[in-house]
Amino acid sequence: MTDINQMIINLAVFGRTQSGKSSAGNILLGSDDFYSSLSPGSVTTECSLGRSCHLHSFMRRGGQEITLQIQVLDTPGYPHSKLSMKHVKQEVKKALAHHFGQEGLHLALLVQRADVPFFGQEASNPVQLIQELLGDSWKNYTAVLFSHAEKIEEAGISEDEYLREAPDALLNLLSSVQQRFSFQILLELTPMNHACQDLLRRKSTTLQYKKQV
């Protein structure tokens, strides 16, 4: 950090193909750095880094206003429709070391579509990727973002009702990451909705770095 009143959060987004990773990254950045489109296959084929503008008065610490900047690493879907799982894993590991090797990673954001059930091996694959990349302490650096949350709102389902009906696999994941999760409604986005801001504030109060080796 170059300034005692400036905070930089290094964040990487993970998830299945068409989960909304790139869109989530754009929301966090308040930009359209990452290409995103509806497609029957995977869109993102390589990692890329985006940086947000400075968000002034993001929070207060020690009586001082803190300015936040977010660095987001967008990653290919896992599993991928065109690339092998081994290739994606190597690409992400290399990108984490290149972009965050000095400072480390603060937060791995697992993007899960709220309108797609979480069960089976395909849902578990991105979680396993995070575990392999971050090691035993992965739970301390991971949060879940439910994308397309407007779908459950349109269905007349509240967030509490959604979680009550969630499968054990999802509830166990949320418990593992200490209930760090947020629901993302795409229409609420400019540049970062309140739920995302709250998630980052909660993380920034206990800011830790996960060094890449």
Side-chain angles (χ1 to χ4, degrees):
M1 296 184 196
T2 58
D3 190 314
I4 191 172
N5 295 327
Q6 179 178 330
M7 177 183 294
I8 298 175
I9 291 184
N10 296 332
L11 185 152
V13 288
F14 297 89
R16 288 183 277 179
T17 287
Q18 289 292 302
S19 61
K21 299 182 309 303
S22 298
S23 294
N26 286 334
I27 289 162
L28 289 164
L29 296 174
S31 69
D32 57 357
D33 286 28
F34 306 132
Y35 178 70
S36 175
S37 69
L38 179 64
S39 171
S42 302
V43 174
T44 303
T45 57
E46 59 185 16
C47 295
S48 58
L49 185 74
R51 294 181 175 89
S52 74
C53 60
H54 290 86
L55 304 176
H56 299 285
S57 303
F58 174 72
M59 61 181 293
R60 295 184 68 87
R61 176 176 289 175
Q64 299 292 318
E65 291 190 347
I66 302 298
T67 295
L68 174 71
Q69 184 179 38
I70 307 167
Q71 297 190 128
V72 177
L73 183 70
D74 189 23
T75 69
Y78 191 82
H80 200 277
S81 63
K82 301 169 187 170
L83 306 173
S84 70
M85 295 174 76
K86 180 180 179 180
H87 178 90
V88 172
K89 191 182 304 181
Q90 291 174 339
E91 166 76 10
V92 175
K93 188 174 183 178
K94 181 174 67 174
L96 286 172
H98 176 71
H99 294 295
F100 301 148
Q102 291 292 322
E103 297 179 342
L105 177 70
H106 291 112
L107 185 65
L109 192 62
L110 176 63
V111 182
Q112 163 67 27
R113 286 187 66 123
D115 59 341
V116 174
F118 185 93
F119 70 93
Q121 187 59 46
E122 187 175 349
S124 300
N125 280 329
V127 181
Q128 293 174 0
L129 174 62
I130 294 173
Q131 291 173 340
E132 292 179 29
L133 291 169
L134 303 187
D136 294 338
S137 61
W138 71 275
K139 299 174 184 178
N140 299 326
Y141 302 92
T142 303
V144 177
L145 182 67
F146 292 104
S147 62
H148 298 271
E150 70 277 2
K151 298 295 185 182
I152 65 172
E153 187 177 81
E154 291 168 4
I157 302 172
S158 69
E159 294 176 5
D160 288 341
E161 289 171 331
Y162 178 89
L163 293 173
R164 280 199 297 271
E165 297 297 323
D168 288 343
L170 179 56
L171 295 177
N172 290 336
L173 171 62
L174 297 180
S175 177
S176 295
V177 301
Q178 303 163 48
Q179 304 299 323
R180 286 192 297 269
F181 66 88
S182 177
F183 286 86
Q184 175 198 86
I185 296 177
L186 291 179
L187 298 178
E188 288 182 352
L189 286 185
T190 3
M192 188 197 306
N193 65 19
H194 295 300
C196 289
Q197 289 190 32
D198 180 62
L199 185 65
L200 291 174
R201 285 193 182 95
R202 279 186 283 155
K203 179 60 182 174
S204 61
T205 57
T206 55
L207 201 57
Q208 303 178 74
Y209 293 91
K210 178 61 182 178
K211 286 289 187 181
Q212 303 304 313
V213 294

